[in-house]
Amino acid sequence: MNKVMTRTKRRPGTRPPGRHDTRRPGTTPPRTPGAGAPRPAPGDSPPQAPPAEAASRTLLLPPPADHPRPSPPSSPPPQPRPTDLFADRLLAVLSGQRPVHCMLRHTAGRAYDELAWLAERGPLRTRGTRPVIRDIGYYVPRPGAIEAFARIGAGDRLRAMAFRLEQGPDLRWRCTAVELGGPRMPRPDDD
């Protein structure tokens, strides 16, 4: 079996790597000297000073400690894996933090019915300790399909969740099956 573990051991209470709140920028932009100086008109050329005089007017100060030097844009930040996104979404629904209908456009086939059936039983709802995803692993049986599992911890309890993702013709990932330890949803006879 070719299982891949995607999350590593980390200290509790820390934010997972690669998760950044896009609503909160990391730093404020650095201030540039002379930002309030008047700009020359489009046809005007700025007065030229001799090189020695220009160098004596330029004051180079290190940036303040609380303003790190901006790094040049190299590449866009890596996108989270679909297994990580869906594990977080499913946990939020099964623990009662989000309503089931928020997964409607992210599911296909019987997965929504299974999720609604599981959510009404509240298998991951806990008092006090909010459940968190401890570890995620996945297996790729064929291109365009992922079978994943997540270990969910809430206090001293550890639960398992399995789900299947399939990529549609529109290249979007959708959950097609969800299972937790415990009773399963009864299947109708016509399947």
Side-chain angles (χ1 to χ4, degrees), residues 118-139:
L118 286 169
E120 78 181 26
R121 281 146 184 76
L124 298 177
R125 292 186 182 163
T126 58
R127 293 193 183 268
T129 308
R130 180 178 272 186
V132 294
I133 296 174
R134 302 278 174 114
D135 192 23
I136 296 177
Y138 64 92
Y139 171 71

Side-chain angles (χ1 to χ4, degrees), residues 1 4 8 29 36 42 44 47 55-56 59 81 101 153 177 186:
M1 183 192 294
V4 180
T8 59
D44 297 342
S56 67
L59 182 59
R81 292 182 180 96
H101 68 267

Side-chain angles (χ1 to χ4, degrees), residues 38-113:
R39 294 184 182 175
D44 297 342
S45 63
Q48 299 294 324
E53 186 179 323
S56 67
R57 285 187 294 165
T58 305
L59 182 59
L60 299 176
L61 294 175
D66 61 341
H67 293 297
R69 187 167 285 180
S71 60
S74 57
S75 63
Q79 294 296 320
R81 292 182 180 96
T83 54
D84 294 353
L85 291 172
F86 275 89
D88 289 335
R89 289 175 182 160
L90 292 170
L91 176 64
V93 168
L94 294 173
S95 64
Q97 299 169 22
R98 306 270 325 247
V100 179
H101 68 267
C102 73
M103 289 294 294
L104 191 56
R105 61 183 228 162
H106 302 290
T107 56
R110 293 183 43 100
Y112 184 78
D113 296 333

